[in-house]
Amino acid sequence: MFLIYLRRELSRRKKAALVISMGLALGIALVITVTSVSSGMKQAQTQVLKSLYGIGTDMTVTKAAEAQSSSSARPKFNFDAKSDDSSTSQSSDRVMTAGGQTLASTKVADVAKQTGVSNAVGALSLNVMKVDGTFTQGKAKSTTSGGTGEGGQGGGQGGGQPGVQGGGASFDVNSYTVYGVDTANLTLGPLSSSKVTTGATFTSAQSNAKVAVVDSAYAKTKSLSVGKTVTIKSVKYTVIGISTATSGDSAANIYIPLKQAQTLASSANKVSTIYVKATDSQQISAVKSTIQKNISGTTVTTSADLAKTVSGSLSTATKLATSVGKWLSVAVLLAAFLVAALLTSSAVSRRVREFGTLKALGWKSGKVTRQVIGESFVNGLIGGALGIALGLGAAYVVTAISPTMTAELGSTTSSAGGPGGGGMGGGPGRQAASKAIEVALSAPVSLTTIALAAGLAIAGGLIAGGFGGWRASRMRPADALRSVA
């Protein structure tokens, strides 16, 4: 009887049911859209952070910044003078540790022993400034005067004056980044944000080998390929692999074994950055505090710290989606619930004769209430289905269009070698303290979001039905008689 009456009443009031369902559907669709876009923006931010950290890295440890004199960071180039050649070629490499700050390699083991740390790997970030060109030696000549000196014709004070004509110099300056990586642990650290697409990556046996992995963009610029060599500070390294950044941004131009990088920079047993993976991603703040407390003179930078330095359209849109978008969704959803409740109550008011008659026939108030709630429940299911369909459609459109967002990466410290750090090189492998990265936005919809949307739709229907059922339960048979008169 209940289901038969329910089906008949819904069929008889199709327009009213459709209006209530569409109101709930719009609210549900907005919730799904905002939630999916927010999820996509979080994924985009994670992608940007991985371009700095590398996959699997939760935080980095660097040496605390110290005051440095300007002269200590000023690059110097010394060339040998050669008088036997009229034109000589000169070349010199200046290898500097990014940020000028290093830690003892023993600190890597100290960090790995801390509570909450799953793994720790050291790396050395270098900036290489190469200057090469030619000197051209000038020729000495003297100029003569046409006058006559006191000592006789053509002599005396009217003689020639010495001078140099011709000569000069032409030099080219090339700056690039080199990263020394631990070949025994490549799953953590700077190279983990790239994928070797040509050739091979390092092996643990190549801990001190003269081999290199080159970033694809740099390899294209310098016409490098597997098997060719690159020269750094007069040392030739054989290219064994070409890597491509998986996040769309390169951490360094050239990767070499850590021991080789330490030799180039005259920094034996030194690292500039320690990459740390926590045992529990929910306890990163606690691990950070533990490291800073137990290992003095270090700066710990987490992904949360780095996220604060991300600006640009991605950051702005993320803030809007998580704050304005969230409250807008709540407001629209509440409005949809309120409209559904009012429409249901209005529909009940127009059914005075019907409910009064049913009560006169012996229907209890509870049964009348259940009837109204049942109708609203079905309306909620219909609204939920329509809302989920609209929300999935909107998310698909956003993913299909894939609007490009820009993330500006700033500095977290002035000179430390941590991610985004400033100073010469900007941070691990960075050539500047700020860099723009473009990320395509998607709008993934999870099963949790769909379940939440369905639950909200059902809740909206039940709330509207409960309010309308309460009004229907208060009607008396006498109200039906008055409406007939």
Side-chain angles (χ1 to χ4, degrees):
M1 180 66 181
F2 173 79
L3 295 178
I4 296 175
Y5 189 78
L6 177 65
R7 180 175 57 82
R8 185 179 68 80
E9 289 302 314
L10 289 173
S11 300
R12 195 160 61 92
R13 296 180 174 83
K14 292 181 180 179
K15 291 184 179 180
L18 184 61
V19 170
I20 295 173
S21 298
M22 284 304 300
L24 291 173
L26 291 176
I28 297 303
L30 183 60
V31 170
I32 292 177
T33 303
V34 172
T35 303
S36 61
V37 171
S38 297
S39 178
M41 289 179 178
K42 290 179 180 178
Q43 288 185 3
Q45 278 196 328
T46 301
Q47 182 179 347
V48 170
L49 298 182
K50 284 180 180 179
S51 71
L52 292 179
Y53 269 142
I55 299 173
T57 304
D58 294 317
M59 66 192 75
T60 57
V61 180
T62 56
K63 186 176 181 179
E66 297 177 355
Q68 295 182 340
S69 61
S70 58
S71 60
S72 62
R74 184 182 302 133
K76 298 179 181 179
F77 297 92
N78 298 318
F79 298 104
D80 296 329
K82 298 180 181 180
S83 60
D84 55 339
D85 296 326
S86 59
S87 178
T88 60
S89 297
Q90 299 281 359
S91 179
S92 179
D93 289 350
R94 168 76 174 184
V95 179
M96 299 166 288
T97 303
Q101 303 287 336
T102 57
L103 292 164
S105 297
T106 55
K107 295 290 185 181
V108 179
D110 294 339
V111 171
K113 294 176 183 177
Q114 301 304 308
T115 303
V117 174
S118 172
N119 194 11
V121 175
L124 184 63
S125 175
L126 303 178
N127 290 284
V128 181
M129 188 177 295
K130 183 180 183 63
V131 177
D132 57 3
T134 58
F135 287 109
T136 301
Q137 185 176 359
K139 295 183 179 180
K141 290 187 178 181
S142 62
T143 57
T144 58
S145 173
T148 304
E150 295 181 356
Q153 186 176 0
Q157 297 179 2
Q161 296 183 357
V164 178
Q165 293 183 353
S170 176
F171 280 85
D172 179 55
V173 178
N174 177 31
S175 179
Y176 57 96
T177 56
V178 178
Y179 227 126
V181 299
D182 185 350
T183 60
N185 195 340
L186 299 177
T187 58
L188 187 64
L191 194 53
S192 65
S193 63
S194 299
K195 180 181 180 181
V196 176
T197 53
T198 305
T201 189
F202 300 109
T203 64
S204 57
Q206 295 173 322
S207 60
N208 198 24
K210 293 181 174 60
V211 292
V213 173
V214 182
D215 174 66
S216 57
Y218 185 77
K220 183 178 180 180
T221 302
K222 300 299 180 181
S223 300
L224 295 173
S225 59
V226 175
K228 290 190 175 182
T229 60
V230 291
T231 303
I232 307 173
K233 204 174 182 181
S234 301
V235 180
K236 291 185 177 181
Y237 294 89
T238 302
V239 178
I240 62 172
I242 305 296
S243 66
T244 301
T246 55
S247 59
D249 185 52
S250 173
N253 300 129
I254 301 173
Y255 302 90
I256 62 176
L258 177 58
K259 290 184 179 179
Q260 284 292 318
Q262 292 170 337
T263 301
L264 288 176
S266 300
S267 300
N269 300 317
K270 298 287 186 181
V271 295
S272 60
T273 309
I274 302 174
Y275 291 80
V276 181
K277 179 177 178 58
T279 54
D280 184 358
S281 60
Q282 304 299 319
Q283 301 296 323
I284 292 178
S285 297
V287 176
K288 174 183 177 179
S289 300
T290 299
I291 295 174
Q292 288 181 324
K293 177 182 178 181
N294 297 335
I295 304 177
S296 60
T298 60
T299 297
V300 182
T301 306
T302 67
S303 56
D305 298 327
L306 193 59
K308 296 177 182 178
T309 71
V310 178
S311 59
S313 58
L314 175 61
S315 176
T316 302
T318 302
K319 292 177 181 177
L320 288 175
T322 54
S323 57
V324 178
K326 180 179 67 176
W327 290 114
L328 177 62
S329 299
V330 172
V332 172
L333 194 61
L334 289 177
F337 285 179
L338 180 60
V339 169
L342 292 176
L343 289 176
T344 302
S345 178
S346 176
V348 168
S349 298
R350 293 193 296 270
R351 298 167 66 182
V352 174
R353 182 186 302 177
E354 174 189 344
F355 291 129
T357 303
L358 290 173
K359 282 196 169 186
L361 293 175
W363 278 42
K364 302 293 184 182
S365 295
K367 190 173 183 179
V368 173
T369 301
R370 287 194 299 272
Q371 187 67 44
V372 176
I373 292 177
E375 295 174 10
S376 297
F377 177 77
V378 174
N379 290 336
L381 290 178
I382 297 174
L386 292 174
I388 290 173
L390 291 174
L392 290 175
Y396 175 79
V397 170
V398 173
T399 303
I401 297 175
S402 295
T404 301
M405 312 295 288
T406 302
E408 292 284 345
L409 305 176
S411 301
T412 54
T413 57
S414 60
S415 61
M424 294 280 303
R430 297 292 169 200
Q431 297 184 14
S434 179
K435 187 168 184 174
I437 297 177
E438 291 188 349
V439 184
L441 180 64
S442 61
V445 181
S446 65
L447 292 177
T448 302
T449 301
I450 295 178
L452 174 64
L456 290 174
I458 293 174
L462 292 177
I463 291 173
F467 186 70
W470 173 74
R471 289 202 62 183
S473 66
R474 298 184 63 187
M475 293 181 180
R476 297 171 298 175
D479 296 330
L481 296 175
R482 282 198 296 270
S483 65
V484 172

